[in-house]
Amino acid sequence: MEKVKVIEIKRSVFADNDKDADNLRAELKEKGVFLLNLMSSPGSGKTTTLIQTINRLKDKIRVAVMEADIDSDVDAIKIKEATGIESIQLHTGGMCHLDAAMTRQGLDNLSLAGTDLAILENVGNLVCPAEFDTGSCRNAMILSVPEGHDKPLKYPLMFSICDVVVINKIDVMPYFDFDMEKCKEYIHMRNPKAKVIPICAKTGEGVDEFAAWLLAEVEKWKK
Amino acid sequence: MEKVKVIEIKRSVFADNDKDADNLRAELKEKGVFLLNLMSSPGSGKTTTLIQTINRLKDKIRVAVMEADIDSDVDAIKIKEATGIESIQLHTGGMCHLDAAMTRQGLDNLSLAGTDLAILENVGNLVCPAEFDTGSCRNAMILSVPEGHDKPLKYPLMFSICDVVVINKIDVMPYFDFDMEKCKEYIHMRNPKAKVIPICAKTGEGVDEFAAWLLAEVEKWKK
């Protein structure tokens, strides 16, 4: 028996993704469900950050997670085991991103009634996921210290579409040439309004701030 | 004045990339030029690894580098300043990968006569670059320790098409939950023939082995 539900999502047939995404957002607004789209490079710590964040929120609001990957179901299982919340795995069949129609296929497999916050963990990639509106209410990304502070220079679109940039793995800053002030400067070059939150998902440092931001956004959305 | 040549490459118009890639490889064989396609996630250390490798090879063979990025020219400048060899920047105009036609546009801007080894540093991305044959003679990838040992489970195609997997940043292994033996096992699940070389590009540890592998491949190609 599978430990979590695994959905093979199909390539989208909609020509106008932006319109489809707007429709999805309107449906979510009506249902009172907030959708967060979380993006990053492979290995930046999306799943660990989610576990820490969900454990801070799950007694206040109902949370469900969709883990998108090309293959494997390790992340959905990790989330379920570490938080106890509803967690499903989406397989993209080789696709490097999700669009609105693909996201809807995932949402259709969650028990949305009563869910306040649905989180999409997008495919690990700093390029393509930024190009496709998933229908999410907010976009978040994680940049981890080992990746380097110059990433906003190289992946401009990703940084420009994110409402919040979480900088993870700050515990290993002494071992890497990572300049936090330069990083913030480069992020704000791309997106002056982006909120920047340094955290260590392993120890939980800084996660309270991210969880508080997310909770406030969910509450605004449901008003 | 620009410090390095920056080429805006155009989207490919060829329908059959595989055929185009085979043609490019045949042309390179005739010219005696070996093309290495180097791929990885953003921030895994491609540029630093190249600097260390080139400094071990540049007195034996003539090397030239093409740095592909969506934006910025920081990598091409770094390579030029640290090694003194010919280094150009390719801008992909938002594209997340290079195909054979795009690679040819880069090669056309290098002084290929007399060059033994041309290196393409592909866009940082574990998904799309694996899907497009660039016309390279060999594919190499870097996985860095902070990304985690489970990446071959999540990005199967990338690991299956690479002749060599360099595992970088082994100096920070004590600070991450990275299992080297598990990582090798997962890589060989995807590709039993893949050569795995652990290195630390920052200190140079292990780079001799990668440089020796590359030199041997160049010599085989030119025979």
Side-chain angles (χ1 to χ4, degrees):
Chain A
M1 206 188 82
E2 279 170 339
K3 287 187 181 175
V4 293
K5 201 194 268 191
V6 178
I7 318 295
E8 308 291 333
I9 53 178
K10 302 281 181 295
R11 215 169 263 259
S12 171
V13 294
F14 287 86
D16 190 344
N17 182 60
D18 284 344
K19 199 178 159 204
D20 197 30
D22 284 340
N23 290 343
L24 180 55
R25 248 186 309 275
E27 291 165 35
L28 290 168
K29 181 83 183 169
E30 200 168 319
K31 289 179 182 155
V33 178
F34 180 94
L35 174 64
L36 179 76
N37 175 27
L38 180 62
M39 297 170 285
S40 83
S41 292
S44 66
K46 287 189 291 304
T47 309
T48 310
T49 302
L50 283 186
I51 289 170
Q52 289 273 8
T53 307
I54 291 163
N55 280 334
R56 282 163 173 75
L57 294 178
K58 67 182 180 187
D59 295 335
K60 296 172 185 141
I61 54 175
R62 183 153 145 200
V63 189
V65 168
M66 302 179 283
E67 290 285 326
D69 265 309
I70 289 170
D71 207 347
S72 101
D73 57 2
V74 292
D75 287 346
I77 293 172
K78 252 191 235 165
I79 295 271
K80 197 178 176 183
E81 289 181 348
T83 68
I85 68 155
E86 182 178 14
S87 164
I88 66 173
Q89 185 76 46
L90 311 182
H91 279 175
T92 66
M95 291 284 282
C96 53
H97 66 273
L98 267 75
D99 61 17
M102 297 164 85
T103 304
R104 187 184 270 111
Q105 291 170 52
L107 290 167
D108 286 346
N109 283 281
L110 286 180
S111 339
L112 275 195
T115 293
D116 304 295
L117 167 62
I119 301 173
L120 169 65
E121 186 182 317
N122 216 312
V123 182
N125 184 329
L126 287 189
V127 186
C128 318
E131 294 168 17
F132 294 86
D133 189 340
T134 58
S136 67
C137 312
R138 288 287 177 272
N139 291 318
M141 72 165 291
I142 300 178
L143 172 69
S144 65
V145 164
E147 294 169 62
H149 59 256
D150 62 345
K151 291 300 157 291
L153 300 180
K154 295 185 179 179
Y155 302 92
L157 185 62
M158 176 58 78
F159 287 85
S160 70
I161 64 151
C162 280
D163 303 286
V164 60
V165 179
V166 172
I167 301 184
N168 191 20
K169 307 190 188 178
I170 54 170
D171 58 321
V172 296
M173 278 192 57
Y175 314 110
F176 291 91
D177 305 319
F178 186 93
D179 187 327
M180 183 65 82
E181 289 315 304
K182 268 230 161 71
C183 188
K184 287 181 181 172
E185 183 192 321
Y186 293 157
I187 292 168
H188 290 133
M189 262 170 59
R190 297 308 184 191
N191 182 358
K193 289 185 187 165
K195 191 174 170 65
V196 179
I197 306 179
I199 70 162
C200 172
K202 208 158 100 178
T203 62
E205 187 184 347
V207 178
D208 283 349
E209 189 183 349
F210 178 59
W213 172 83
L214 189 51
L215 185 61
E217 292 295 327
V218 173
E219 284 168 353
K220 271 192 263 172
W221 183 254
K222 290 172 76 81
K223 261 179 198 159
Chain B
M1 205 189 84
E2 279 170 339
K3 287 188 179 175
V4 293
K5 201 194 269 191
V6 178
I7 318 296
E8 308 290 334
I9 53 178
K10 301 281 180 299
R11 217 167 262 260
S12 170
V13 293
F14 286 88
D16 190 344
N17 182 59
D18 285 345
K19 201 179 158 201
D20 196 31
D22 284 340
N23 289 343
L24 179 55
R25 248 185 309 276
E27 291 163 34
L28 290 168
K29 181 82 183 171
E30 199 168 317
K31 288 179 182 157
V33 178
F34 180 94
L35 174 64
L36 179 76
N37 175 26
L38 180 62
M39 296 170 286
S40 82
S41 292
S44 66
K46 288 189 292 301
T47 309
T48 311
T49 302
L50 282 185
I51 289 170
Q52 288 274 8
T53 307
I54 291 163
N55 281 334
R56 282 162 172 78
L57 294 177
K58 68 182 180 187
D59 294 335
K60 296 172 185 142
I61 54 176
R62 183 154 144 200
V63 189
V65 168
M66 301 179 284
E67 291 285 326
D69 265 308
I70 289 171
D71 208 347
S72 101
D73 56 4
V74 292
D75 287 346
I77 293 172
K78 254 192 232 166
I79 295 271
K80 197 178 177 184
E81 290 182 347
T83 68
I85 68 156
E86 182 179 14
S87 165
I88 65 173
Q89 185 77 45
L90 311 182
H91 280 176
T92 66
M95 291 282 285
C96 53
H97 66 273
L98 268 76
D99 62 15
M102 295 163 86
T103 305
R104 186 184 270 112
Q105 291 170 51
L107 289 167
D108 285 347
N109 283 281
L110 285 179
S111 339
L112 275 193
T115 293
D116 304 295
L117 167 62
I119 300 174
L120 169 65
E121 187 181 317
N122 215 312
V123 182
N125 183 330
L126 288 189
V127 185
C128 318
E131 293 168 18
F132 294 86
D133 189 341
T134 57
S136 68
C137 311
R138 288 286 177 273
N139 290 320
M141 72 165 290
I142 301 178
L143 173 69
S144 65
V145 164
E147 294 170 62
H149 59 256
D150 62 345
K151 291 300 158 291
L153 300 179
K154 295 186 179 179
Y155 303 91
L157 185 63
M158 176 58 78
F159 287 85
S160 71
I161 64 150
C162 280
D163 302 286
V164 61
V165 179
V166 171
I167 301 183
N168 190 22
K169 308 191 188 177
I170 56 170
D171 58 321
V172 295
M173 278 192 58
Y175 314 109
F176 291 91
D177 304 321
F178 186 93
D179 186 328
M180 184 64 83
E181 288 316 305
K182 268 228 162 72
C183 188
K184 287 180 179 172
E185 184 192 320
Y186 293 156
I187 291 168
H188 290 132
M189 263 170 59
R190 298 306 184 192
N191 182 359
K193 289 185 186 164
K195 191 173 171 66
V196 179
I197 307 178
I199 71 161
C200 171
K202 207 157 102 177
T203 64
E205 187 185 346
V207 178
D208 283 349
E209 189 184 348
F210 178 59
W213 172 84
L214 189 50
L215 186 60
E217 292 295 325
V218 172
E219 284 169 352
K220 271 192 264 173
W221 182 255
K222 291 173 73 84
K223 260 178 197 160

